[in-house]
């Protein structure tokens, strides 16, 4: 059988053939077949040619998340060929040992890459590991070719076949597994409007302003920190702590909600979060430089309860090969709280907020070792 070509040095050839590249990834259950050698036989040559590639990839992730390292071993079917006189089981067995040998080194390389620290020197160290792995693989391939006589020595071929199958078992496949952290973070920006009820409706115009928020999630429980800044005007004067709040005064209500919510419904398109908590309302004159209103402040504390509906943007379907728990959303938030302060500044507030936000969890990567057991055929024809 003819020499084994090292595909990592085939860049010019691969560029010219890129329109017809046909690859086959190594599989423990799907072994090589004669139909996988799809390149035309080279005139005047016998035996076979097996083109392969050994490499790695690092999938970048979001901020604070771990990178995912993977190594791959594949065959270029559009470049590999078998001559008419070599289309037999022995040729398949010979090339299958080569393919299995590449997979053993791919697994060893992945284990070394995983052990690297993800810092600014990672790429340089990873390239060095890839180079050394390919060098070791090339040396072993040459030894395999020499000991088996290119596949003509049946006894040596069977011995290598048994050895490589055992090495596949002893070198577990480190299957990359993705899962999301229990902790997640979200932000929200939007517009807000409040509807006063009771005597308060006769005292102040419906406030309107800008809202923002921070969500800190632990599993399905979410801590909400949502401040809102409003603008409004008094339609009725009142006294508070010997201070006269005059009719027509322009005021700036500030609202801070601190609550605990629970995700009771979560789908790829939406989620629903009821919550309860504490509400702080601070009322101050809009013009703080006006000497007449210096020192004016009205603070009110009260419980609050509300409901959050997030409409998720994009495709958030869970995929088996990765864990994605980050998305943009359009949020609608409705809350109700009482106001018990100086009459007639009392009643209640119905608060409605609409805006855009994002949520994400830190993605974690783990590697599950799986041993590969491959049954050997009784004989090689």
């Amino acid at each position: 059988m003819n020499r084994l070509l090292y595909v990592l040095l085939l860049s010019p050839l691969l560029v010219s053939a890129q329109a017809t590249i046909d690859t086959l990834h190594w599989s423990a259950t799907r072994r090589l077949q004669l139909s996988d050698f799809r390149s035309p036989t080279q005139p005047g040559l016998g035996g076979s040619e097996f083109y392969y590639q050994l490499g790695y990839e690092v999938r970048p992730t979001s901020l604070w998340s771990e990178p995912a390292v993977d190594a791959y071993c594949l065959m270029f079917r559009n470049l590999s060929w078998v001559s008419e006189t070599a289309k037999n089981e022995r040729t398949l067995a010979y090339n299958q040992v080569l393919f299995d040998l590449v997979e053993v080194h791919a697994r060893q390389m992945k284990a070394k890459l995983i052990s690297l620290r993800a810092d600014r020197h990672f790429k340089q160290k990873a390239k060095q590991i890839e180079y050394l792995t390919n060098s070791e693989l090339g040396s072993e391939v040459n030894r395999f070719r020499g000991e088996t006589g290119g596949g003509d020595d049946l006894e040596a071929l069977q011995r290598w076949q048994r050895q490589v199958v055992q090495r596949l078992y002893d070198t577990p496949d480190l299957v990359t597994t993705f899962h999301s952290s229990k902790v997640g973070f979200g932000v929200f920006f939007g517009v807000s409007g409040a509807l006063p009820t009771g005597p308060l409706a006769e005292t102040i115009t419906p406030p309107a302003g800008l809202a923002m928020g921070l969500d800190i999630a632990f599993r399905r429980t979410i801590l909400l920190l949502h401040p809102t800044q409003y603008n409004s005007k008094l339609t009725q004067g009142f006294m508070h702590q010997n201070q006269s709040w005059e009719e027509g005064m322009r005021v700036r209500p500030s609202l801070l909600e601190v609550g605990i919510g629970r995700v009771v419904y979560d789908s790829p398109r939406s989620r629903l979060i009821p919550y309860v908590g504490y509400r702080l309302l601070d009322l101050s004159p809009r013009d703080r430089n006006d000497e007449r209103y210096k020192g004016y402040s009205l603070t009110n504390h009260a419980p609050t309860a509300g409901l959050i509906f997030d409409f998720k943007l994009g495709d958030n379907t869970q995929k088996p090969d990765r864990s994605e728990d980050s998305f943009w959303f359009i949020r609608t938030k409705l809350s109700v709280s009482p106001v018990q302060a100086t009459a007639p500044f009392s009643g209640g507030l119905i608060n409605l907020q609409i805006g855009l936000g994002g949520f994400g969890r830190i993605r974690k990567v783990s590697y599950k070792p799986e041993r590969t057991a491959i049954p050997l055929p009784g004989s090689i024809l």
Side-chain angles (χ1 to χ4, degrees), residues 24-42:
L24 174 68
H25 282 264
W26 184 91
S27 171
T29 57
R30 201 284 192 187
R31 313 302 277 166
L32 285 178
Q33 303 171 8
L34 289 175
S35 59
D36 293 325
F37 296 79
R38 298 180 177 178
S39 178
T41 303
Q42 303 301 309

Side-chain angles (χ1 to χ4, degrees), residues 22 61 72 91 117 126 166 233-234 259 367 375 379:
D22 180 13
T61 61
Y72 59 87
T91 299
R117 182 179 178 183
Q166 183 62 44
K233 184 174 70 172
L234 296 181
Y367 302 93
S379 62

Side-chain angles (χ1 to χ4, degrees), residues 194-210:
L195 178 65
T197 62
L200 190 61
E202 306 296 328
T203 308
I204 190 172
T205 60
L210 299 177

Side-chain angles (χ1 to χ4, degrees), residues 9-219:
L9 303 178
L10 288 177
S11 297
L13 181 59
L14 293 179
V15 170
S16 63
Q18 61 182 351
T20 57
I21 284 180
D22 180 13
T23 60
L24 174 68
H25 282 264
W26 184 91
S27 171
T29 57
R30 201 284 192 187
R31 313 302 277 166
L32 285 178
Q33 303 171 8
L34 289 175
S35 59
D36 293 325
F37 296 79
R38 298 180 177 178
S39 178
T41 303
Q42 303 301 309
L45 297 178
S48 65
E49 288 283 10
F50 182 80
Y51 289 80
Y52 69 87
Q53 185 175 18
L54 168 68
Y56 75 93
E57 62 180 1
V58 180
R59 305 184 197 177
T61 61
S62 58
L63 188 65
W64 301 313
S65 293
E66 302 173 34
V69 179
D70 208 355
Y72 59 87
C73 154
L74 53 84
M75 168 194 185
F76 288 90
R77 291 193 286 194
N78 61 301
L79 301 178
S80 303
W81 56 268
V82 175
S83 66
E84 290 296 329
T85 58
K87 290 184 176 181
N88 52 54
E89 292 299 322
R90 183 182 297 188
T91 299
L92 277 181
Y94 174 79
N95 286 287
Q96 185 65 65
V97 172
L98 289 175
F99 208 2
D100 292 344
L101 198 57
V102 179
E103 173 64 15
V104 169
H105 284 266
R107 295 182 182 187
Q108 293 173 343
M109 181 174 67
K110 182 174 181 177
K112 295 176 183 177
L113 293 172
I114 291 171
S115 66
L116 288 180
R117 182 179 178 183
D119 56 18
R120 59 190 181 92
H121 300 295
F122 177 87
K123 186 175 181 180
Q124 178 183 354
K125 293 178 181 178
K127 286 295 182 183
Q128 185 178 16
I129 289 175
E130 182 186 31
Y131 174 80
L132 292 175
T133 302
N134 279 308
S135 178
E136 293 168 359
L137 173 61
S139 297
E140 191 165 21
V141 164
N142 290 333
R143 186 161 61 89
F144 167 68
R145 290 175 50 223
E147 292 184 6
T148 61
D152 292 334
D153 188 332
L154 179 58
E155 183 178 349
L157 179 58
Q158 290 176 325
R159 184 176 65 252
W160 270 88
Q161 189 181 46
R162 290 191 297 269
Q163 291 174 353
V164 173
V165 166
Q166 183 62 44
R167 289 171 64 184
L168 282 171
Y169 181 83
D170 295 336
T171 309
D173 183 15
L174 301 177
V175 180
T176 307
T177 304
F178 303 102
H179 53 98
S180 295
S181 167
K182 297 176 183 177
V183 179
F185 300 91
V187 292
F188 162 74
F189 300 93
V191 296
S192 179
L195 178 65
T197 62
L200 190 61
E202 306 296 328
T203 308
I204 190 172
T205 60
L210 299 177
M212 63 176 294
L214 173 66
D215 301 343
I216 303 175
F218 181 77
R219 293 179 178 170

